[in-house]
Amino acid sequence: MLKTPDMLLLFFCLVGAVDALQKQWIPDTNYENKTNWDKGAVPCGNDIVQFPAQRTVSVFVETTHAVQEMRLPVDGELILNSGAGFYVVSGKDPGCGDGVTTQFRDLESLQWFNPALWQAAATLEDLQRGKFLFSVHEESVPCQYDDVVFKALSSFRVDASSSQSSIPVKSVSVLGKKFDSRSEFSQYLGSRSGQLQFQGSTVVTVGNQECGDPSGCDCGNSVNHQRICNTVTCGALSCKKPLLPVGHCCAVCGVIVTIHYAAGFNLQTYRERIHHLFLILPKYKSIQLGMSKVVKSQRLMGVIPFGASPEIQVVVVDGEKGSQSENLALDILKDARSHGSNLGINGAEFQASSGSSSDQSGGSAGMVVGVVFGVLIMITIIIVVVLVRKGVVQMPLSLPSLPSLPSLPSLISWKKRGDVGDVGGSVDHGFDNPIFDMPSMLPDIPGVYTAETKHSITMTQTGVHFINPVYDENETDFNV
Ligand SMILES: *[C@@H]1O[C@H](CO)[C@@H](O)[C@H](O)[C@H]1NC(C)=O
């Protein structure tokens, strides 16, 4: 399976184009869709068909139907497929019950910015084959460089209201016709069908340029974040440390992998690669993986913003009680480490809702040493501060002795003996051993416990970087 990743890479480099997805609107107002009828069934020959008088609807009819009687709305349209139509049966239709009055559902306006009403795929073929992509809520709704698809044989009604004056997209396909010219589509919107299908104050405009950056583009829906999230209801979560992905409305249980990319990175290619290497494996079949470029603001000491850096966010969620998301994250990190230079990846790390993060994946001695040293340095600083503040140890006495604890073994032996006299010759037995103070002190000092420290280790191609955990307490503080 994994034996030809480079071949795959080459293949996808040739095929992989810029990152634009197909976003298909799911609901329809079709006559043949039984969910559109109040009795839950498509009316048959003994039934009286009724459309709400005051509702303007566009209804696509694919085939011929027998009816007893039909009451039409004041305004609206029936789009008849070729060969479609209605006829009245004389007498009783034997294949149809006693006959009821069935009403076309008074569909309330369905919102463009409702992520549940869209499905995404990389290509039109994937859409048809049902190979849908998972994405964060903001990107479930069409992005500015996406192709929007309304199913070929269907009618629909979408409410495109927003606070913006327009919704730019690359193209829109309606009833099998693809519009990518701005003027042509605005002409269509002015037509009878266009007015019935697209409602609301905001104008959908096509002809937006495609994403010219192979590493991906920002979706552009963050301006509509609130509107999008108003339509979403978040479920209850059971994991220890739920994660909030950028662009998502709800915290999730799973893993977020962050990819730091460089020149040569191609998001589309990489998405395909992860799919072909991992997602097709049976053990990962319940995994949902969403990959996108996001811009995270960088914060100094977790508070002061000092810039923004684009990176690739990979959200991995594994079903209800799935547990494979961390394994997949480890696989992705391993792949990024061994093929990073070919893929244009500088570094990768992950955070899991279980509380673990990428340092556990490494298992490299360098990283362990890094953690140990980081913790030692912190403890040393604390000891110095405590000793000096308690006035037990005076600066000239304590300073020479403390830096002479360069490695773990000496600390352990020091701790075991518990010989207070070792700290400094002049200390008497009333001295509080700072080591035993630790448990009560540590919680006050963020990032000193190893669990916290783990979040601040970054594994990159060039080596292991230890980031002072004090500056890193805001890891999980997403601002949305
Ligand atoms: C019928 O409509 C529902 C809701 O609009 C949609 O989810 C479903 O896919 C439609 N069925 C078909 C066969 O298109």
Side-chain angles (χ1 to χ4, degrees), residues 375-462:
V375 172
L376 276 181
I377 289 165
M378 287 301 294
I379 291 174
T380 309
I381 292 168
I382 293 160
I383 292 171
V384 171
V385 170
V386 167
L387 292 185
V388 170
R389 280 179 87 195
K390 291 204 170 182
V392 176
V393 177
Q394 283 168 359
M395 290 296 272
L397 253 170
S398 61
L399 278 180
S401 63
L402 284 169
S404 68
L405 294 169
S407 62
L408 193 56
S410 68
L411 175 68
I412 288 169
S413 59
W414 182 52
K415 191 177 169 182
K416 269 187 187 158
R417 273 180 279 141
D419 188 349
V420 190
D422 275 10
V423 178
S426 69
V427 189
D428 69 21
H429 286 281
F431 169 69
D432 297 327
N433 187 333
I435 289 294
F436 300 135
D437 268 352
M438 287 295 128
S440 59
M441 287 168 49
L442 282 174
D444 298 331
I445 300 150
V448 172
Y449 270 161
T450 44
E452 297 293 322
T453 315
K454 283 169 188 166
H455 296 287
S456 52
I457 309 296
T458 309
M459 173 70 89
T460 67
Q461 279 251 305
T462 47

Coordinates of all heavy atoms in Angstrom, one line a residue, residues 375-462:
V375 N 11.9 21.3 31.7 CA 11.3 21.2 33.0 C 12.4 21.5 34.0 O 12.1 22.3 35.0 CB 10.7 19.8 33.2 CG1 10.3 19.6 34.7 CG2 9.6 19.5 32.3
L376 N 13.6 21.0 33.8 CA 14.7 21.3 34.8 C 15.0 22.8 34.9 O 15.1 23.3 36.0 CB 15.9 20.5 34.3 CG 16.0 19.1 34.8 CD1 17.3 18.5 34.3 CD2 15.9 19.0 36.3
I377 N 15.0 23.4 33.8 CA 15.3 24.8 33.8 C 14.2 25.6 34.6 O 14.5 26.4 35.4 CB 15.4 25.4 32.3 CG1 16.7 24.9 31.7 CG2 15.4 26.9 32.3 CD1 16.7 25.0 30.2
M378 N 13.0 25.2 34.3 CA 11.9 25.8 35.0 C 12.0 25.6 36.5 O 11.9 26.5 37.3 CB 10.5 25.3 34.6 CG 10.1 25.7 33.2 SD 10.0 27.5 33.1 CE 8.6 27.8 34.2
I379 N 12.2 24.3 36.9 CA 12.3 24.0 38.3 C 13.5 24.8 39.0 O 13.4 25.4 40.1 CB 12.5 22.5 38.5 CG1 11.2 21.8 38.1 CG2 12.9 22.2 40.0 CD1 11.3 20.3 38.1
T380 N 14.6 24.9 38.2 CA 15.7 25.6 38.8 C 15.4 27.0 39.0 O 15.7 27.6 40.1 CB 16.9 25.6 37.7 OG1 17.1 24.2 37.4 CG2 18.2 26.1 38.3
I381 N 14.7 27.6 38.1 CA 14.3 29.0 38.2 C 13.4 29.2 39.5 O 13.6 30.1 40.3 CB 13.6 29.6 37.0 CG1 14.6 29.6 35.8 CG2 12.9 30.9 37.2 CD1 14.0 29.9 34.5
I382 N 12.5 28.2 39.6 CA 11.5 28.3 40.7 C 12.3 28.2 42.0 O 12.0 28.9 43.0 CB 10.5 27.2 40.6 CG1 9.6 27.5 39.4 CG2 9.6 27.1 41.9 CD1 8.8 26.3 38.9
I383 N 13.2 27.2 42.1 CA 13.9 27.0 43.3 C 14.7 28.3 43.7 O 14.6 28.8 44.8 CB 14.9 25.9 43.2 CG1 14.1 24.6 43.0 CG2 15.9 25.8 44.4 CD1 15.0 23.4 42.7
V384 N 15.3 28.9 42.7 CA 16.1 30.1 43.0 C 15.1 31.2 43.5 O 15.4 31.8 44.6 CB 16.8 30.6 41.7 CG1 17.4 32.0 41.9 CG2 17.8 29.6 41.2
V385 N 14.0 31.3 42.8 CA 13.1 32.4 43.3 C 12.6 32.1 44.7 O 12.6 33.0 45.5 CB 11.9 32.5 42.3 CG1 10.8 33.4 42.8 CG2 12.4 33.0 40.9
V386 N 12.2 30.9 44.9 CA 11.7 30.5 46.3 C 12.7 30.8 47.3 O 12.5 31.4 48.4 CB 11.2 29.1 46.3 CG1 10.9 28.6 47.7 CG2 9.9 29.0 45.4
L387 N 13.9 30.3 47.1 CA 15.0 30.4 48.1 C 15.3 31.8 48.4 O 15.4 32.3 49.5 CB 16.2 29.7 47.6 CG 16.1 28.1 47.5 CD1 17.5 27.6 47.2 CD2 15.6 27.5 48.8
V388 N 15.3 32.6 47.3 CA 15.7 34.0 47.5 C 14.6 34.7 48.2 O 14.8 35.5 49.1 CB 16.0 34.7 46.1 CG1 16.1 36.2 46.3 CG2 17.3 34.1 45.6
R389 N 13.3 34.4 47.8 CA 12.2 35.1 48.4 C 12.0 34.8 49.9 O 11.7 35.6 50.7 CB 10.9 34.8 47.7 CG 10.8 35.7 46.4 CD 9.6 35.4 45.6 NE 8.5 36.2 46.1 CZ 7.2 35.9 45.8 NH1 6.9 34.8 45.1 NH2 6.2 36.6 46.2
K390 N 12.3 33.5 50.2 CA 12.2 33.1 51.6 C 13.3 33.7 52.5 O 13.3 33.6 53.7 CB 12.1 31.6 51.7 CG 10.8 31.0 51.1 CD 10.5 29.7 51.7 CE 9.1 29.3 51.3 NZ 8.7 28.0 51.8
G391 N 14.3 34.2 51.8 CA 15.4 34.7 52.5 C 16.2 33.7 53.1 O 17.1 33.9 54.0
V392 N 15.9 32.4 52.8 CA 16.7 31.3 53.5 C 18.1 31.2 52.9 O 19.1 31.0 53.6 CB 15.9 30.0 53.2 CG1 16.8 28.9 53.8 CG2 14.6 30.1 53.9
V393 N 18.1 31.4 51.6 CA 19.4 31.3 50.9 C 19.7 32.7 50.4 O 18.9 33.4 49.8 CB 19.3 30.3 49.8 CG1 20.6 30.3 49.0 CG2 18.9 29.0 50.3
Q394 N 20.9 33.1 50.6 CA 21.3 34.4 50.0 C 22.0 34.2 48.7 O 22.5 33.2 48.4 CB 22.3 35.1 51.0 CG 21.6 35.6 52.2 CD 22.5 36.0 53.3 OE1 23.7 35.9 53.2 NE2 21.9 36.6 54.4
M395 N 21.8 35.2 47.9 CA 22.2 35.1 46.5 C 23.6 34.5 46.2 O 23.7 33.5 45.5 CB 22.1 36.5 45.8 CG 20.7 37.0 45.6 SD 19.7 35.9 44.5 CE 20.2 36.7 42.9
P396 N 24.6 35.0 46.9 CA 25.9 34.5 46.6 C 26.1 33.0 46.9 O 26.8 32.3 46.3 CB 26.8 35.4 47.4 CG 26.0 36.5 47.9 CD 24.6 36.1 47.9
L397 N 25.3 32.6 48.0 CA 25.4 31.2 48.4 C 24.7 30.3 47.4 O 25.2 29.2 47.1 CB 24.9 31.1 49.8 CG 25.9 30.9 50.9 CD1 25.2 31.0 52.2 CD2 26.6 29.6 50.7
S398 N 23.5 30.6 47.1 CA 22.6 29.7 46.3 C 23.0 29.6 44.9 O 22.9 28.6 44.2 CB 21.2 30.1 46.5 OG 21.0 31.4 45.9
L399 N 23.4 30.8 44.3 CA 23.6 30.8 42.9 C 24.6 29.8 42.4 O 24.4 29.1 41.4 CB 23.8 32.2 42.4 CG 22.6 33.0 42.2 CD1 22.9 34.4 41.7 CD2 21.6 32.3 41.2
P400 N 25.8 29.8 43.0 CA 26.8 28.8 42.5 C 26.3 27.4 42.6 O 26.7 26.5 41.8 CB 28.0 29.1 43.4 CG 27.7 30.4 44.0 CD 26.3 30.5 44.2
S401 N 25.5 27.1 43.6 CA 25.2 25.7 43.8 C 24.0 25.2 42.9 O 24.0 24.1 42.4 CB 24.7 25.4 45.2 OG 23.6 26.1 45.5
L402 N 23.1 26.1 42.5 CA 22.0 25.6 41.7 C 22.3 25.4 40.3 O 21.9 24.4 39.7 CB 20.8 26.6 41.9 CG 20.1 26.5 43.2 CD1 19.2 27.7 43.4 CD2 19.4 25.2 43.3
P403 N 23.1 26.2 39.6 CA 23.4 25.9 38.2 C 24.2 24.7 38.1 O 24.4 24.1 37.0 CB 24.1 27.1 37.7 CG 23.7 28.2 38.7 CD 23.5 27.6 40.0
S404 N 24.7 24.1 39.2 CA 25.5 22.9 39.1 C 24.6 21.7 39.1 O 24.9 20.6 39.5 CB 26.5 22.8 40.2 OG 25.8 22.7 41.4
L405 N 23.3 21.9 38.6 CA 22.4 20.7 38.5 C 22.1 20.5 37.1 O 21.0 20.8 36.6 CB 21.1 21.0 39.3 CG 21.1 21.1 40.8 CD1 19.8 21.7 41.2 CD2 21.5 19.8 41.4
P406 N 23.1 20.2 36.3 CA 22.8 20.2 34.9 C 22.0 19.0 34.3 O 21.4 19.1 33.3 CB 24.2 20.2 34.3 CG 25.1 19.5 35.3 CD 24.3 19.6 36.6
S407 N 21.9 18.0 35.0 CA 21.3 16.8 34.4 C 20.4 16.1 35.4 O 20.4 16.3 36.6 CB 22.4 15.8 33.9 OG 23.1 15.4 35.0
L408 N 19.6 15.2 34.8 CA 18.6 14.5 35.6 C 19.1 13.7 36.7 O 18.7 13.8 37.9 CB 17.7 13.7 34.6 CG 16.5 13.1 35.2 CD1 15.6 14.2 35.7 CD2 15.7 12.3 34.2
P409 N 20.2 12.9 36.5 CA 20.7 12.0 37.6 C 21.0 12.8 38.8 O 20.7 12.4 39.9 CB 21.9 11.4 37.0 CG 21.7 11.4 35.5 CD 20.9 12.7 35.3
S410 N 21.7 13.9 38.7 CA 22.1 14.7 39.9 C 20.9 15.2 40.6 O 20.8 15.3 41.8 CB 23.0 15.8 39.5 OG 22.3 16.8 38.8
L411 N 19.8 15.6 39.8 CA 18.6 16.0 40.5 C 18.0 14.9 41.3 O 17.6 15.1 42.4 CB 17.6 16.6 39.5 CG 16.3 17.0 40.0 CD1 16.4 18.2 40.9 CD2 15.2 17.2 39.0
I412 N 17.9 13.7 40.7 CA 17.3 12.6 41.4 C 18.0 12.3 42.7 O 17.4 12.1 43.7 CB 17.2 11.4 40.4 CG1 16.2 11.7 39.3 CG2 16.8 10.1 41.2 CD1 16.2 10.7 38.2
S413 N 19.3 12.2 42.6 CA 20.1 11.8 43.8 C 19.9 12.9 44.8 O 19.7 12.6 46.0 CB 21.5 11.6 43.4 OG 22.0 12.8 42.9
W414 N 19.8 14.1 44.4 CA 19.7 15.2 45.3 C 18.3 15.1 46.0 O 18.2 15.2 47.2 CB 19.8 16.5 44.5 CG 19.7 17.8 45.3 CD1 20.4 18.1 46.4 CD2 18.8 18.8 45.1 NE1 20.1 19.3 46.9 CE2 19.0 19.8 46.1 CE3 17.8 19.1 44.2 CZ2 18.4 21.0 46.2 CZ3 17.1 20.3 44.3 CH2 17.4 21.2 45.3
K415 N 17.3 14.8 45.2 CA 16.0 14.7 45.7 C 15.9 13.5 46.7 O 15.3 13.6 47.8 CB 15.0 14.5 44.6 CG 13.6 14.6 44.9 CD 12.8 14.5 43.6 CE 11.3 14.3 43.9 NZ 10.6 14.2 42.6
K416 N 16.5 12.4 46.3 CA 16.4 11.2 47.1 C 17.0 11.3 48.5 O 16.4 11.0 49.5 CB 17.1 10.0 46.5 CG 16.2 9.2 45.5 CD 16.9 8.0 45.0 CE 16.1 7.3 44.0 NZ 17.0 6.4 43.1
R417 N 18.1 11.9 48.5 CA 18.8 12.1 49.8 C 18.0 13.0 50.7 O 18.0 12.9 51.9 CB 20.2 12.5 49.6 CG 21.2 11.4 49.4 CD 22.6 11.9 49.2 NE 22.8 12.3 47.9 CZ 23.5 13.4 47.5 NH1 24.0 14.1 48.4 NH2 23.6 13.7 46.3
G418 N 17.4 14.0 50.0 CA 16.6 15.0 50.8 C 17.5 15.7 51.8 O 17.0 16.2 52.8
D419 N 18.7 15.7 51.5 CA 19.7 16.3 52.4 C 19.7 17.8 52.2 O 20.3 18.3 51.3 CB 21.1 15.7 52.2 CG 22.0 16.1 53.3 OD1 21.7 17.0 54.0 OD2 23.1 15.5 53.3
V420 N 19.0 18.4 53.1 CA 18.9 19.9 52.9 C 20.3 20.6 53.0 O 20.5 21.6 52.3 CB 18.0 20.4 54.1 CG1 17.6 21.9 53.8 CG2 16.8 19.6 54.2
G421 N 21.1 20.0 53.7 CA 22.5 20.6 53.8 C 23.2 20.8 52.5 O 24.0 21.6 52.3
D422 N 22.8 20.0 51.5 CA 23.4 20.0 50.2 C 23.2 21.3 49.4 O 23.9 21.7 48.6 CB 22.9 18.9 49.3 CG 23.6 17.6 49.5 OD1 24.4 17.6 50.5 OD2 23.5 16.6 48.8
V423 N 22.0 21.9 49.7 CA 21.7 23.1 49.0 C 22.7 24.2 49.3 O 23.1 25.0 48.4 CB 20.2 23.6 49.3 CG1 19.9 24.8 48.6 CG2 19.3 22.5 49.0
G424 N 23.0 24.3 50.5 CA 24.0 25.3 50.8 C 24.4 25.1 52.3 O 23.6 24.7 53.1
G425 N 25.7 25.2 52.5 CA 26.2 24.8 53.8 C 25.6 25.5 55.0 O 25.5 25.0 56.1
S426 N 25.1 26.7 54.8 CA 24.7 27.5 55.9 C 23.2 27.3 56.3 O 22.7 27.9 57.2 CB 24.8 29.0 55.6 OG 23.9 29.3 54.6
V427 N 22.5 26.4 55.6 CA 21.1 26.2 55.9 C 20.9 25.3 57.0 O 21.5 24.2 57.1 CB 20.4 25.6 54.6 CG1 18.9 25.6 54.8 CG2 20.8 26.4 53.4
D428 N 20.0 25.7 57.9 CA 19.8 24.8 59.1 C 18.6 23.9 58.8 O 18.0 23.9 57.8 CB 19.5 25.7 60.4 CG 18.2 26.5 60.3 OD1 17.3 26.1 59.5 OD2 18.1 27.5 61.0
H429 N 18.2 23.1 59.8 CA 17.1 22.1 59.6 C 15.7 22.6 59.6 O 14.8 21.9 59.2 CB 17.3 20.9 60.6 CG 18.5 20.1 60.3 ND1 18.4 19.1 59.3 CD2 19.7 20.1 60.8 CE1 19.6 18.6 59.2 NE2 20.4 19.1 60.1
G430 N 15.6 23.9 59.8 CA 14.2 24.5 59.7 C 13.9 24.9 58.3 O 12.8 25.4 58.0
F431 N 14.8 24.7 57.4 CA 14.6 25.1 56.0 C 13.5 24.2 55.3 O 13.5 23.0 55.4 CB 15.9 25.0 55.3 CG 15.9 25.1 53.8 CD1 15.5 26.3 53.2 CD2 16.1 24.0 53.0 CE1 15.5 26.4 51.9 CE2 16.0 24.1 51.7 CZ 15.7 25.3 51.1
D432 N 12.6 24.9 54.6 CA 11.6 24.1 53.8 C 12.2 23.7 52.5 O 12.6 24.5 51.7 CB 10.4 25.0 53.4 CG 9.7 25.4 54.7 OD1 9.7 24.7 55.7 OD2 9.2 26.6 54.7
N433 N 12.3 22.4 52.3 CA 12.9 21.9 51.1 C 11.9 22.3 49.9 O 10.8 21.9 49.9 CB 12.9 20.4 51.1 CG 13.7 19.8 49.9 OD1 13.7 20.5 48.8 ND2 14.3 18.7 50.0
P434 N 12.5 23.1 49.0 CA 11.6 23.6 47.9 C 11.0 22.5 47.1 O 10.0 22.7 46.5 CB 12.6 24.5 47.1 CG 13.9 24.1 47.5 CD 13.8 23.6 48.9
I435 N 11.7 21.4 47.0 CA 11.2 20.3 46.2 C 9.8 19.8 46.7 O 8.9 19.5 46.0 CB 12.1 19.1 46.2 CG1 13.4 19.4 45.4 CG2 11.5 17.8 45.7 CD1 13.2 19.6 44.0
F436 N 9.7 19.8 48.1 CA 8.4 19.3 48.6 C 7.3 20.4 48.6 O 6.2 20.1 48.8 CB 8.6 18.9 50.1 CG 9.6 17.7 50.2 CD1 10.7 17.7 51.1 CD2 9.6 16.7 49.2 CE1 11.6 16.7 51.1 CE2 10.5 15.6 49.2 CZ 11.5 15.6 50.2
D437 N 7.8 21.6 48.2 CA 6.8 22.6 48.1 C 6.1 22.5 46.7 O 5.0 23.1 46.5 CB 7.5 24.0 48.1 CG 7.4 24.6 49.5 OD1 6.8 23.9 50.3 OD2 8.1 25.6 49.7
M438 N 6.7 21.8 45.8 CA 6.3 21.8 44.4 C 4.8 21.6 44.2 O 4.2 22.4 43.5 CB 7.1 20.7 43.6 CG 8.5 21.0 43.4 SD 8.6 22.4 42.3 CE 9.7 23.5 43.3
P439 N 4.2 20.5 44.7 CA 2.8 20.2 44.4 C 1.9 21.4 44.6 O 1.1 21.7 43.8 CB 2.4 19.1 45.3 CG 3.7 18.4 45.6 CD 4.8 19.5 45.7
S440 N 2.1 22.2 45.6 CA 1.2 23.3 45.9 C 1.6 24.5 45.1 O 0.8 25.4 44.8 CB 1.2 23.6 47.4 OG 2.5 23.9 47.8
M441 N 2.9 24.5 44.7 CA 3.3 25.7 43.9 C 3.0 25.6 42.4 O 2.6 26.6 41.8 CB 4.8 25.9 44.0 CG 5.3 26.4 45.4 SD 7.0 26.2 45.4 CE 7.5 26.9 43.8
L442 N 3.2 24.4 41.9 CA 3.1 24.3 40.5 C 1.9 24.8 39.8 O 1.9 25.4 38.8 CB 3.4 22.8 40.1 CG 4.9 22.5 40.2 CD1 5.1 21.0 39.9 CD2 5.7 23.3 39.2
P443 N 0.7 24.5 40.4 CA -0.5 24.9 39.6 C -0.6 26.4 39.4 O -1.2 26.9 38.5 CB -1.6 24.5 40.6 CG -1.1 23.3 41.3 CD 0.4 23.7 41.5
D444 N 0.2 27.1 40.2 CA 0.1 28.6 40.0 C 1.0 29.0 38.8 O 0.9 30.1 38.4 CB 0.7 29.3 41.3 CG -0.2 29.0 42.4 OD1 -1.4 28.8 42.2 OD2 0.3 29.0 43.6
I445 N 1.9 28.1 38.4 CA 2.8 28.5 37.4 C 2.4 27.7 36.1 O 2.6 26.5 36.0 CB 4.2 28.2 37.8 CG1 4.5 29.0 39.1 CG2 5.2 28.6 36.7 CD1 5.5 28.3 40.0
P446 N 1.8 28.4 35.2 CA 1.3 27.7 34.0 C 2.4 27.0 33.2 O 3.5 27.6 33.1 CB 0.6 28.8 33.2 CG 1.2 30.1 33.7 CD 1.6 29.8 35.1
G447 N 2.1 25.9 32.7 CA 3.0 25.2 31.8 C 4.1 24.5 32.4 O 5.0 24.0 31.8
V448 N 4.2 24.3 33.8 CA 5.3 23.7 34.3 C 5.0 22.2 34.4 O 5.9 21.4 34.2 CB 5.6 24.2 35.7 CG1 6.7 23.4 36.4 CG2 6.1 25.6 35.6
Y449 N 3.8 21.8 34.7 CA 3.5 20.4 34.7 C 3.7 19.8 33.3 O 3.5 20.4 32.3 CB 2.0 20.2 35.0 CG 1.8 20.0 36.5 CD1 0.5 20.2 37.0 CD2 2.8 19.6 37.4 CE1 0.3 20.0 38.4 CE2 2.6 19.5 38.7 CZ 1.3 19.7 39.2 OH 1.1 19.5 40.5
T450 N 4.2 18.6 33.3 CA 4.6 18.0 32.0 C 3.4 18.0 31.0 O 3.6 18.2 29.8 CB 5.2 16.7 32.1 OG1 4.4 15.9 33.1 CG2 6.6 16.7 32.6
A451 N 2.2 17.7 31.5 CA 1.1 17.6 30.6 C 0.9 18.9 29.8 O 0.6 18.9 28.7 CB -0.2 17.4 31.4
E452 N 1.2 20.0 30.5 CA 1.1 21.3 29.8 C 2.3 21.5 28.9 O 2.1 22.0 27.8 CB 1.0 22.4 30.8 CG -0.1 22.4 31.7 CD -1.4 22.7 31.0 OE1 -1.4 23.5 30.1 OE2 -2.4 22.1 31.3
T453 N 3.4 21.1 29.4 CA 4.6 21.3 28.6 C 4.5 20.6 27.2 O 5.1 21.1 26.2 CB 5.8 20.8 29.4 OG1 5.7 21.2 30.7 CG2 7.1 21.3 28.8
K454 N 3.9 19.5 27.2 CA 3.8 18.7 26.0 C 3.3 19.5 24.8 O 3.6 19.4 23.7 CB 2.9 17.5 26.2 CG 3.5 16.4 26.9 CD 2.4 15.4 27.3 CE 3.0 14.3 28.2 NZ 1.9 13.5 28.8
H455 N 2.4 20.4 25.1 CA 1.7 21.2 24.0 C 2.6 22.2 23.4 O 2.3 22.8 22.4 CB 0.5 21.9 24.6 CG -0.5 21.0 25.1 ND1 -1.3 20.3 24.2 CD2 -0.9 20.6 26.3 CE1 -2.1 19.5 24.9 NE2 -1.9 19.7 26.2
S456 N 3.8 22.3 23.9 CA 4.6 23.4 23.4 C 5.8 22.8 22.7 O 6.8 23.5 22.4 CB 5.1 24.3 24.5 OG 5.6 23.5 25.5
I457 N 5.8 21.6 22.4 CA 6.9 21.0 21.6 C 6.5 20.9 20.2 O 5.5 20.4 19.8 CB 7.2 19.6 22.1 CG1 7.3 19.5 23.6 CG2 8.4 19.0 21.4 CD1 8.5 20.3 24.2
T458 N 7.4 21.4 19.3 CA 7.1 21.4 17.9 C 8.1 20.5 17.2 O 9.3 20.6 17.4 CB 7.2 22.8 17.4 OG1 6.4 23.6 18.2 CG2 6.7 22.8 15.9
M459 N 7.6 19.6 16.4 CA 8.5 18.7 15.6 C 8.6 19.3 14.2 O 7.6 19.4 13.6 CB 7.9 17.3 15.6 CG 8.7 16.4 14.7 SD 10.3 16.0 15.4 CE 9.9 14.6 16.4
T460 N 9.7 19.6 13.8 CA 9.9 20.1 12.4 C 10.9 19.3 11.7 O 11.6 18.5 12.4 CB 10.2 21.6 12.4 OG1 11.5 21.7 12.9 CG2 9.2 22.4 13.2
Q461 N 11.1 19.5 10.5 CA 12.1 18.9 9.7 C 13.5 19.2 10.2 O 14.4 18.4 10.1 CB 12.0 19.3 8.2 CG 10.9 18.5 7.5 CD 11.5 17.5 6.6 OE1 12.2 17.9 5.7 NE2 11.2 16.3 6.7
T462 N 13.6 20.4 10.6 CA 15.0 20.8 10.9 C 15.4 20.5 12.4 O 16.5 20.7 12.8 CB 15.1 22.4 10.7 OG1 14.0 23.0 11.3 CG2 15.2 22.7 9.3

